[in-house]
Structures are given as structure tokens and as C-alpha cells.
Amino acid sequence: AQSVSQHNHHVILSEAASLELGCNYSYGGTVNLFWYVQYPGQHLQLLLKYFSGDPLVKGIKGFEAEFIKSKFSFNLRKPSVQWSDTAEYFCAVSTTGTASKLTFGTGTRLQVTL
Amino acid sequence: GAVVSQHPSWVICKSGTSVKIECRSLDFQATTMFWYRQFPKQSLMLMATSNEGSKATYEQGVEKDKFLINHASLTLSTLTVTSAHPEDSSFYICSAKPGTSADTQYFGPGTRLTVL
């Protein structure tokens, strides 16, 4: 079974700082990778996803993620964070050929200060 | 597009009673819906996969007799927590997968269940 690790549990950044959130997965086969965001009091929203092709994926709100197969990683990046990016970020993995079940990481709480 | 709603958004019930939570895909047909449970400051744990017109597939450790799932139509799935106990208090979230989308799931806002 696949698993997902997010090593940063709580990150505090000042506005305009650059962001990188780590995500590593363990699975020997082909995977689909996702980043979801959960703003305070809101539901999970898809930030970006990778199925195949260009390993550098661009999502909404200026976020991007890079799939590095050799490192089993899918780190999320943003060059300059805003206060409105304060939220919980979840990395998730699904394996192809299954019922598209998502396995989530434990989440990273991002706090952006003014 | 791709909006998923849940009802109710929160519910408080007495121990021993049953609670039904609805999950609806508002602007698409969902052949597959998923039910998750989220504990405070923890990640989402998949409870079961619900396919329209067939029995749900439960994850290991989830009691199928306690968490009854019905997926009666392409836009509605329900989760019934039977004989609820305080340890069932949690945040329950559903998601739906459009039939034409390979793997993207769209999430509902969640239902906060508190069992007294």
C-alpha cells in the first residue's frame, strides 16, 4: 500500500517569502499526485495535480510542484507567499488502475504573517 | 463547476442514536463517491468507496454495519452512523469523482458530528 509523508507540520513565513513544502511517497508503481489546500473553515480544494508528462506542474494561485521520480517526491513551491495563503496543505497520492483511492499526508499548516 | 455539498454541516446527537449525512454532487454525475474521516489536526482517513448502484467498499478497520453507505443515484450518497457513540465524534468529509475525470476528486465542506 502507498503512503505519504509530509515532514513540515507547521511552517511560519513572512509575506513575500518563498515557500517549499515537502512531500514524499512510497509506492513502487505509477502514481498520480495531488496537492490540496484547506483554508480556515472551508473545504478541501485542488491546488494542482500530476498524472503524466511535464514533471513541473503549475496550479492555481501561483503554486507549482515538481515530481522527481527518483526521489519519490512532489514538493510544493511558491516564490512569494501572501497572507491569504494561510491554510492547511495536504499532499495526496493515488495509484493508477485502482478505484482512485487517495492516500493523504498528515498535512502542513502554513501560517503567513504580515 | 464540480461542486459537492454536504448536509448537515454540523450535528449533535445523543449516544445510541443514528445520524444520516448526505453528500451531493451539484453540477456533475459522480459514479464514485468517497467518505473520509478527519480527526483534529490530523489527515483525512478514507473510510469507504461508494459506487452508484452497488455495495460500498470499506477500508480495513471500518465497521460496515456501523457506517452504512448508500449510493442510490449518480448525485447522492449517504452515510449513516448507526448507534453513535462519543468516539464517533469527528469531521466527516465526502468527495465525488466525475465519471469523465481520471482521478480528480472534488470535496464537500464536511460534517461535524458530535455525539454526547
Side-chain angles (χ1 to χ4, degrees):
Chain A
Q2 65 269 32
S3 65
V4 181
S5 297
Q6 290 181 247
H7 304 294
N8 314 105
H9 298 295
H10 189 191
V11 173
I12 302 174
L13 293 173
S14 300
E15 263 203 333
S18 64
L19 169 72
E20 180 159 4
L21 301 182
C23 173
N24 288 90
Y25 68 93
S26 63
Y27 185 72
T30 303
V31 294
N32 298 319
L33 297 154
F34 306 81
W35 275 98
Y36 282 88
V37 61
Q38 188 173 30
Y39 297 103
Q42 296 189 29
H43 61 279
L44 278 167
Q45 299 174 42
L46 181 68
L47 265 182
L48 47 79
K49 61 187 178 185
Y50 172 81
F51 287 171
S52 64
D54 189 345
L56 183 61
V57 179
K58 293 191 185 299
I60 61 171
K61 305 186 180 186
F63 286 92
E64 66 178 31
E66 184 175 13
F67 171 49
I68 303 179
K69 190 174 182 179
S70 61
K71 295 184 177 180
F72 297 89
S73 69
F74 190 56
N75 292 355
L76 180 71
R77 299 195 294 250
K78 186 170 183 178
S80 177
V81 294
Q82 300 175 309
W83 179 79
S84 58
D85 292 325
T86 295
E88 189 93 19
Y89 292 81
F90 293 95
C91 181
V93 166
S94 73
T95 57
T96 60
T98 67
S100 305
K101 296 195 296 184
L102 282 174
T103 300
F104 282 86
T106 50
T108 297
R109 181 180 299 274
L110 171 65
Q111 184 178 348
V112 180
T113 60
L114 295 171
Chain B
V3 178
V4 177
S5 70
Q6 278 184 246
H7 178 79
S9 55
W10 59 271
V11 58
I12 302 172
C13 70
K14 293 182 179 180
S15 186
T17 60
S18 295
V19 174
K20 180 185 283 189
I21 302 170
E22 291 185 350
C23 176
R24 293 182 185 272
S25 56
L26 298 184
D27 51 2
F28 65 96
Q29 294 187 327
T31 53
T32 307
M33 288 183 171
F34 303 85
W35 286 96
Y36 296 84
R37 186 170 176 176
Q38 186 178 28
F39 293 98
K41 298 184 179 180
Q42 293 189 32
S43 188
L44 283 78
M45 300 297 295
L46 180 65
M47 298 174 65
T49 303
S50 168
N51 292 296
E52 187 265 337
S54 63
K55 290 184 178 180
T57 303
Y58 290 82
E59 294 300 300
Q60 194 171 13
V62 178
E63 300 175 58
K64 59 181 67 176
D65 293 331
K66 180 166 190 60
F67 298 100
L68 299 179
I69 291 172
N70 183 276
H71 194 156
S73 77
L74 286 171
T75 58
L76 173 64
S77 176
T78 60
L79 168 68
T80 301
V81 183
T82 62
S83 187
H85 291 284
E87 57 266 29
D88 299 324
S89 297
S90 191
F91 196 53
Y92 293 88
I93 302 173
C94 75
S95 72
K97 186 170 77 71
T100 57
S101 175
D103 265 318
T104 302
Q105 295 181 25
Y106 296 93
F107 286 80
T111 297
R112 170 78 59 195
L113 170 63
T114 302
V115 184
L116 301 176

CSV table of all heavy atoms in Angstrom, one decimal, chain B residues 75-110:
chain,number,residue,atom,x,y,z
B,75,THR,N,-25.9,11.3,-8.1
B,75,THR,CA,-25.6,12.6,-7.5
B,75,THR,C,-25.7,12.6,-6.0
B,75,THR,O,-25.6,13.6,-5.3
B,75,THR,CB,-26.5,13.7,-8.0
B,75,THR,OG1,-27.9,13.4,-7.8
B,75,THR,CG2,-26.3,13.9,-9.5
B,76,LEU,N,-26.0,11.4,-5.4
B,76,LEU,CA,-26.3,11.4,-4.0
B,76,LEU,C,-25.7,10.1,-3.4
B,76,LEU,O,-26.0,9.0,-3.8
B,76,LEU,CB,-27.8,11.4,-3.7
B,76,LEU,CG,-28.2,11.2,-2.2
B,76,LEU,CD1,-27.7,12.3,-1.3
B,76,LEU,CD2,-29.7,11.1,-2.1
B,77,SER,N,-25.0,10.3,-2.3
B,77,SER,CA,-24.5,9.2,-1.4
B,77,SER,C,-24.8,9.6,0.0
B,77,SER,O,-24.7,10.8,0.4
B,77,SER,CB,-23.0,9.0,-1.6
B,77,SER,OG,-22.6,8.0,-0.7
B,78,THR,N,-25.2,8.7,0.8
B,78,THR,CA,-25.5,8.9,2.2
B,78,THR,C,-24.6,8.0,3.1
B,78,THR,O,-24.3,6.9,2.8
B,78,THR,CB,-27.0,8.7,2.6
B,78,THR,OG1,-27.3,7.4,2.3
B,78,THR,CG2,-27.8,9.7,1.8
B,79,LEU,N,-24.2,8.6,4.2
B,79,LEU,CA,-23.5,7.9,5.3
B,79,LEU,C,-24.3,7.9,6.5
B,79,LEU,O,-24.7,9.0,7.0
B,79,LEU,CB,-22.1,8.5,5.5
B,79,LEU,CG,-21.4,8.1,6.8
B,79,LEU,CD1,-20.9,6.6,6.6
B,79,LEU,CD2,-20.2,9.0,7.1
B,80,THR,N,-24.7,6.8,7.0
B,80,THR,CA,-25.5,6.7,8.3
B,80,THR,C,-24.6,6.1,9.4
B,80,THR,O,-24.1,5.0,9.2
B,80,THR,CB,-26.7,5.9,8.1
B,80,THR,OG1,-27.6,6.5,7.1
B,80,THR,CG2,-27.5,5.8,9.4
B,81,VAL,N,-24.4,6.9,10.4
B,81,VAL,CA,-23.7,6.4,11.6
B,81,VAL,C,-24.7,5.8,12.5
B,81,VAL,O,-25.5,6.6,13.1
B,81,VAL,CB,-22.9,7.6,12.3
B,81,VAL,CG1,-22.1,7.0,13.4
B,81,VAL,CG2,-22.0,8.3,11.3
B,82,THR,N,-24.7,4.5,12.7
B,82,THR,CA,-25.7,3.9,13.5
B,82,THR,C,-25.2,3.7,14.9
B,82,THR,O,-24.0,3.5,15.2
B,82,THR,CB,-26.0,2.5,12.9
B,82,THR,OG1,-24.8,1.7,13.0
B,82,THR,CG2,-26.5,2.6,11.5
B,83,SER,N,-26.2,3.8,15.8
B,83,SER,CA,-25.9,3.7,17.3
B,83,SER,C,-24.6,4.5,17.6
B,83,SER,O,-23.6,3.9,18.1
B,83,SER,CB,-25.8,2.2,17.6
B,83,SER,OG,-25.6,2.1,19.0
B,84,ALA,N,-24.7,5.7,17.4
B,84,ALA,CA,-23.5,6.6,17.5
B,84,ALA,C,-23.0,6.6,19.0
B,84,ALA,O,-23.8,6.6,19.9
B,84,ALA,CB,-23.7,8.0,17.0
B,85,HIS,N,-21.7,6.7,19.2
B,85,HIS,CA,-21.1,6.8,20.5
B,85,HIS,C,-20.1,8.0,20.5
B,85,HIS,O,-19.7,8.4,19.4
B,85,HIS,CB,-20.4,5.5,20.9
B,85,HIS,CG,-21.3,4.4,21.1
B,85,HIS,ND1,-22.0,4.3,22.3
B,85,HIS,CD2,-21.6,3.3,20.4
B,85,HIS,CE1,-22.8,3.2,22.2
B,85,HIS,NE2,-22.5,2.6,21.1
B,86,PRO,N,-19.7,8.5,21.6
B,86,PRO,CA,-18.8,9.7,21.7
B,86,PRO,C,-17.6,9.5,20.8
B,86,PRO,O,-17.1,10.5,20.2
B,86,PRO,CB,-18.5,9.8,23.2
B,86,PRO,CG,-19.8,9.3,23.8
B,86,PRO,CD,-20.2,8.1,23.0
B,87,GLU,N,-17.0,8.3,20.7
B,87,GLU,CA,-15.8,8.1,20.0
B,87,GLU,C,-16.0,8.2,18.5
B,87,GLU,O,-15.1,8.3,17.7
B,87,GLU,CB,-15.2,6.7,20.2
B,87,GLU,CG,-16.1,5.5,20.0
B,87,GLU,CD,-16.8,5.1,21.3
B,87,GLU,OE1,-17.1,5.9,22.1
B,87,GLU,OE2,-17.2,3.9,21.3
B,88,ASP,N,-17.3,8.3,18.0
B,88,ASP,CA,-17.6,8.5,16.6
B,88,ASP,C,-17.6,10.0,16.3
B,88,ASP,O,-17.7,10.4,15.1
B,88,ASP,CB,-19.0,7.9,16.3
B,88,ASP,CG,-19.1,6.4,16.5
B,88,ASP,OD1,-18.0,5.8,16.2
B,88,ASP,OD2,-20.1,5.9,16.9
B,89,SER,N,-17.5,10.8,17.3
B,89,SER,CA,-17.4,12.3,17.1
B,89,SER,C,-16.2,12.6,16.2
B,89,SER,O,-15.1,12.2,16.5
B,89,SER,CB,-17.3,13.0,18.4
B,89,SER,OG,-18.5,12.8,19.2
B,90,SER,N,-16.5,13.3,15.1
B,90,SER,CA,-15.4,13.6,14.2
B,90,SER,C,-15.9,14.5,13.1
B,90,SER,O,-17.1,14.9,13.1
B,90,SER,CB,-14.9,12.2,13.6
B,90,SER,OG,-13.7,12.4,12.8
B,91,PHE,N,-15.0,14.7,12.2
B,91,PHE,CA,-15.4,15.5,11.0
B,91,PHE,C,-15.4,14.5,9.8
B,91,PHE,O,-14.4,13.9,9.5
B,91,PHE,CB,-14.3,16.6,10.8
B,91,PHE,CG,-14.7,17.7,9.8
B,91,PHE,CD1,-15.9,18.4,10.1
B,91,PHE,CD2,-13.9,18.1,8.8
B,91,PHE,CE1,-16.2,19.5,9.2
B,91,PHE,CE2,-14.3,19.1,7.9
B,91,PHE,CZ,-15.4,19.8,8.2
B,92,TYR,N,-16.6,14.4,9.2
B,92,TYR,CA,-16.8,13.5,8.1
B,92,TYR,C,-16.9,14.3,6.8
B,92,TYR,O,-17.6,15.2,6.6
B,92,TYR,CB,-18.1,12.7,8.3
B,92,TYR,CG,-18.0,11.7,9.5
B,92,TYR,CD1,-18.3,12.2,10.8
B,92,TYR,CD2,-17.5,10.4,9.3
B,92,TYR,CE1,-18.2,11.3,11.8
B,92,TYR,CE2,-17.4,9.6,10.4
B,92,TYR,CZ,-17.7,10.0,11.7
B,92,TYR,OH,-17.6,9.2,12.7
B,93,ILE,N,-16.0,13.9,5.8
B,93,ILE,CA,-15.9,14.6,4.6
B,93,ILE,C,-16.2,13.6,3.4
B,93,ILE,O,-15.7,12.5,3.4
B,93,ILE,CB,-14.5,15.2,4.4
B,93,ILE,CG1,-14.2,16.1,5.5
B,93,ILE,CG2,-14.4,15.9,3.0
B,93,ILE,CD1,-12.8,16.6,5.5
B,94,CYS,N,-17.0,14.0,2.5
B,94,CYS,CA,-17.2,13.2,1.3
B,94,CYS,C,-16.5,13.8,0.1
B,94,CYS,O,-16.2,15.0,0.1
B,94,CYS,CB,-18.7,13.0,1.0
B,94,CYS,SG,-19.5,14.4,0.3
B,95,SER,N,-16.2,13.0,-0.9
B,95,SER,CA,-15.7,13.6,-2.2
B,95,SER,C,-16.4,12.8,-3.3
B,95,SER,O,-16.9,11.7,-3.1
B,95,SER,CB,-14.2,13.4,-2.2
B,95,SER,OG,-13.8,12.0,-2.4
B,96,ALA,N,-16.4,13.4,-4.5
B,96,ALA,CA,-17.0,12.8,-5.6
B,96,ALA,C,-16.1,12.9,-6.8
B,96,ALA,O,-15.4,13.9,-7.0
B,96,ALA,CB,-18.3,13.5,-5.9
B,97,LYS,N,-16.1,11.8,-7.6
B,97,LYS,CA,-15.3,11.8,-8.8
B,97,LYS,C,-16.2,11.8,-10.0
B,97,LYS,O,-17.0,10.8,-10.2
B,97,LYS,CB,-14.4,10.5,-8.8
B,97,LYS,CG,-13.4,10.5,-9.9
B,97,LYS,CD,-12.4,9.4,-9.6
B,97,LYS,CE,-13.0,8.0,-10.0
B,97,LYS,NZ,-13.2,7.8,-11.4
B,98,PRO,N,-16.0,12.8,-10.9
B,98,PRO,CA,-16.8,12.8,-12.1
B,98,PRO,C,-16.5,11.6,-13.0
B,98,PRO,O,-15.3,11.1,-13.0
B,98,PRO,CB,-16.4,14.1,-12.8
B,98,PRO,CG,-15.8,14.9,-11.7
B,98,PRO,CD,-15.2,14.0,-10.8
B,99,GLY,N,-17.5,11.1,-13.7
B,99,GLY,CA,-17.2,9.9,-14.5
B,99,GLY,C,-16.2,10.1,-15.5
B,99,GLY,O,-15.5,9.1,-15.9
B,100,THR,N,-16.0,11.3,-16.0
B,100,THR,CA,-15.1,11.5,-17.1
B,100,THR,C,-13.7,11.9,-16.7
B,100,THR,O,-12.8,12.1,-17.5
B,100,THR,CB,-15.6,12.6,-18.1
B,100,THR,OG1,-15.8,13.8,-17.3
B,100,THR,CG2,-16.9,12.2,-18.7
B,101,SER,N,-13.5,12.1,-15.4
B,101,SER,CA,-12.2,12.5,-14.9
B,101,SER,C,-11.4,11.3,-14.4
B,101,SER,O,-12.0,10.6,-13.6
B,101,SER,CB,-12.4,13.6,-13.8
B,101,SER,OG,-11.2,13.9,-13.2
B,102,ALA,N,-10.2,11.3,-14.7
B,102,ALA,CA,-9.4,10.1,-14.4
B,102,ALA,C,-9.3,9.9,-12.9
B,102,ALA,O,-9.6,8.8,-12.4
B,102,ALA,CB,-8.0,10.2,-15.0
B,103,ASP,N,-8.9,10.9,-12.2
B,103,ASP,CA,-8.6,10.7,-10.8
B,103,ASP,C,-8.9,11.9,-9.9
B,103,ASP,O,-8.7,11.8,-8.7
B,103,ASP,CB,-7.1,10.3,-10.6
B,103,ASP,CG,-6.9,8.8,-10.6
B,103,ASP,OD1,-7.7,8.2,-9.9
B,103,ASP,OD2,-5.9,8.4,-11.2
B,104,THR,N,-9.4,13.0,-10.4
B,104,THR,CA,-9.6,14.1,-9.6
B,104,THR,C,-10.8,14.0,-8.7
B,104,THR,O,-11.9,13.7,-9.3
B,104,THR,CB,-9.7,15.4,-10.4
B,104,THR,OG1,-8.5,15.5,-11.2
B,104,THR,CG2,-9.9,16.6,-9.6
B,105,GLN,N,-10.7,14.2,-7.5
B,105,GLN,CA,-11.9,14.1,-6.6
B,105,GLN,C,-12.2,15.5,-6.1
B,105,GLN,O,-11.3,16.3,-5.9
B,105,GLN,CB,-11.5,13.3,-5.3
B,105,GLN,CG,-11.3,11.8,-5.6
B,105,GLN,CD,-11.0,11.0,-4.4
B,105,GLN,OE1,-11.4,11.3,-3.3
B,105,GLN,NE2,-10.3,9.9,-4.6
B,106,TYR,N,-13.5,15.8,-6.0
B,106,TYR,CA,-13.9,17.1,-5.5
B,106,TYR,C,-14.6,16.9,-4.2
B,106,TYR,O,-15.4,16.0,-4.0
B,106,TYR,CB,-14.8,17.7,-6.5
B,106,TYR,CG,-14.1,18.0,-7.8
B,106,TYR,CD1,-14.2,17.1,-8.8
B,106,TYR,CD2,-13.4,19.2,-8.0
B,106,TYR,CE1,-13.5,17.3,-10.0
B,106,TYR,CE2,-12.8,19.4,-9.2
B,106,TYR,CZ,-12.8,18.5,-10.2
B,106,TYR,OH,-12.1,18.7,-11.4
B,107,PHE,N,-14.2,17.7,-3.2
B,107,PHE,CA,-14.6,17.5,-1.8
B,107,PHE,C,-15.7,18.4,-1.4
B,107,PHE,O,-15.9,19.5,-1.8
B,107,PHE,CB,-13.4,17.8,-0.9
B,107,PHE,CG,-12.3,16.7,-1.0
B,107,PHE,CD1,-11.4,16.6,-2.0
B,107,PHE,CD2,-12.3,15.7,0.0
B,107,PHE,CE1,-10.5,15.6,-2.1
B,107,PHE,CE2,-11.4,14.6,-0.1
B,107,PHE,CZ,-10.5,14.6,-1.2
B,108,GLY,N,-16.5,17.8,-0.5
B,108,GLY,CA,-17.6,18.5,0.2
B,108,GLY,C,-17.0,19.3,1.3
B,108,GLY,O,-15.9,19.1,1.7
B,109,PRO,N,-17.8,20.2,2.0
B,109,PRO,CA,-17.4,21.0,3.1
B,109,PRO,C,-17.2,20.3,4.4
B,109,PRO,O,-16.7,20.8,5.3
B,109,PRO,CB,-18.4,22.1,3.1
B,109,PRO,CG,-19.7,21.4,2.6
B,109,PRO,CD,-19.2,20.5,1.5
B,110,GLY,N,-17.7,19.1,4.4
B,110,GLY,CA,-17.6,18.3,5.7
B,110,GLY,C,-18.8,18.5,6.6
B,110,GLY,O,-19.6,19.4,6.5
